[in-house]
Amino acid sequence: MPGESVVLGSDVAGAKSAGRPIVALETTIFSELGLPRPHSVQALGHVTEAVAAGGAVPALTAVIDGEIRCGLDTLDRSRICGPATKMSARDIGRAVAQKWSYGATTVSAAVTIAAAVGVEVFATGGIGGVHRNAAVTGDISADLGAIAARPVVTVTAGAKVFLDLERTVEHLETLGVPVLGWHCDEFPAFHSPTSGVGLSASVTSASEAARIARAHWELGGGGIVVACPIPDHGAINRAELDEWVEQALARTGAGDHGGADVTPAVLGALAEISGGRTVEANLVLAENNAVVAAAIAGELASDRVGS
Ligand code: PSU
Ligand code: MN
């Protein structure tokens, strides 16, 4: 049976059998591939606490010592924030067969694991997307196809500003993924709340998002994106951000090639160039997404009890 090989954390197993809300989380952002220490440790604490404060159980996803895991409550935090191999959905089988010590999930891997065990809501910082030079390199994140394929609500602060956001939104439409702006009608640009890229739909409450998800899934639909702008206190001025992005892209040579190392390299360069400001923003938006995801998971769970 699909999902049978996934080892559930004890909190997650308890919540699942009681029908309580669960929010799946990716681990790339918390590993050394995502945020630098001590910010990763801080982000892990803030995000998991925000999910719990919202009444849901946080379910970190990863492959640990060759086992697919959903819920890492028994695992040492320093291991979660330590060295890892970036694992997208296509790599999960290899990580199991080759007994990877720590395969940190990207968005595509996390929604795949969540869907396999029936977890309906997932929170991340920002999803991958269509890279600016995709016409040359063909680099389109596997996140988009995985989101489309799995019946999971992904809560994200839009997508990273060094991507081609217009084409990212267009691609999600092509794949049939509803993109719901959270109190907004523009696709957020991760560190900045606006991008100028319009969305066709928006929601103003968790119950509205949950009702849309249920109706979508009723007809066999796949994933839904809830796009949450970064709160004002964490947002970075757009002109400043654009300048940093140009510098980061030039420094990493990301304009000339695609591949799995591009996203971590550009994020690292941005952190350095901005003197850590993009890292602080990342913390704010990840925590905010966790709060929204917990609320949506709560609505979906109460709706299940009521039906
Ligand atoms: N956004 C971040 N930090 C990250 C990522 C996104 O602020 O580490 C990760 C996510 O795990 C996302 C992945 O799924 O990058 C996308 O990588 P790629 O562009 O190679 O598909
Ligand atoms: Mn890529």
Side-chain angles (χ1 to χ4, degrees):
M1 268 227 325
E4 221 166 57
S5 63
V6 179
V7 179
L8 300 181
S10 55
D11 290 4
V12 174
K16 240 184 98 60
S17 55
R20 286 201 309 273
I22 302 168
V23 172
L25 300 167
E26 62 154 305
T27 38
T28 294
I29 179 174
F30 305 120
S31 77
E32 280 183 359
L33 301 163
L35 291 164
R37 280 183 211 242
H39 306 282
S40 52
V41 182
Q42 207 182 347
L44 178 61
H46 287 189
V47 167
T48 51
E49 279 155 28
V51 170
V57 168
L60 287 153
T61 55
V63 164
I64 303 290
D65 300 327
E67 265 182 5
I68 308 172
R69 307 269 290 261
C70 185
L72 298 179
D73 42 349
T74 55
L75 198 75
D76 204 60
R77 289 201 162 187
S78 64
R79 182 132 181 230
I80 298 171
C81 298
T85 308
K86 182 171 170 179
M87 182 181 72
S88 95
R90 68 167 186 175
D91 304 315
I92 300 174
R94 197 158 60 96
V96 171
Q98 298 176 344
K99 295 204 174 7
W100 287 11
S101 157
Y102 179 14
T105 47
T106 62
V107 169
S108 70
V111 293
T112 301
I113 294 172
V117 295
V119 172
E120 296 173 323
V121 182
F122 160 68
T124 180
I127 59 172
V130 179
H131 285 257
R132 289 188 188 179
N133 55 347
V136 177
T137 62
D139 195 351
I140 297 173
S141 177
D143 291 353
L144 303 184
I147 288 170
R150 314 286 172 179
V152 173
V153 175
T154 290
V155 182
T156 175
K160 285 146 289 181
V161 70
F162 56 81
L163 298 169
D164 184 331
L165 297 181
E166 204 161 351
R167 285 201 169 80
T168 298
V169 169
E170 191 62 42
H171 202 83
L172 285 165
E173 186 188 333
T174 300
L175 293 171
V177 177
V179 181
L180 312 175
W182 180 256
H183 297 271
C184 69
D185 52 16
E186 264 182 46
F187 195 58
F190 199 65
H191 304 106
S192 161
T194 54
S195 65
V197 179
L199 293 176
S200 56
S202 72
V203 291
T204 54
S205 70
S207 66
E208 195 182 3
R211 285 200 310 277
I212 291 172
R214 275 272 172 266
H216 188 66
W217 294 335
E218 187 96 354
L219 295 175
I224 288 170
V225 167
V226 173
C228 291
I230 183 171
D232 285 341
H233 71 273
I236 294 173
N237 169 283
R238 194 50 207 264
E240 201 169 18
L241 186 59
D242 285 344
E243 209 181 297
W244 294 341
V245 168
E246 289 311 321
Q247 286 178 40
L249 290 175
R251 187 187 287 190
T252 55
D256 310 322
H257 68 284
D261 56 336
V262 169
T263 295
V266 178
L267 284 171
L270 267 177
E272 226 178 278
I273 293 163
S274 70
R277 298 233 339 257
T278 55
V279 172
E280 276 164 42
N282 209 329
L283 252 68
V284 172
L285 65 87
E287 188 176 348
N288 182 57
N289 293 343
V291 171
V292 174
I296 296 171
E299 289 294 335
L300 282 167
S302 63
D303 165 87
R304 206 167 31 237
V305 171
S307 64

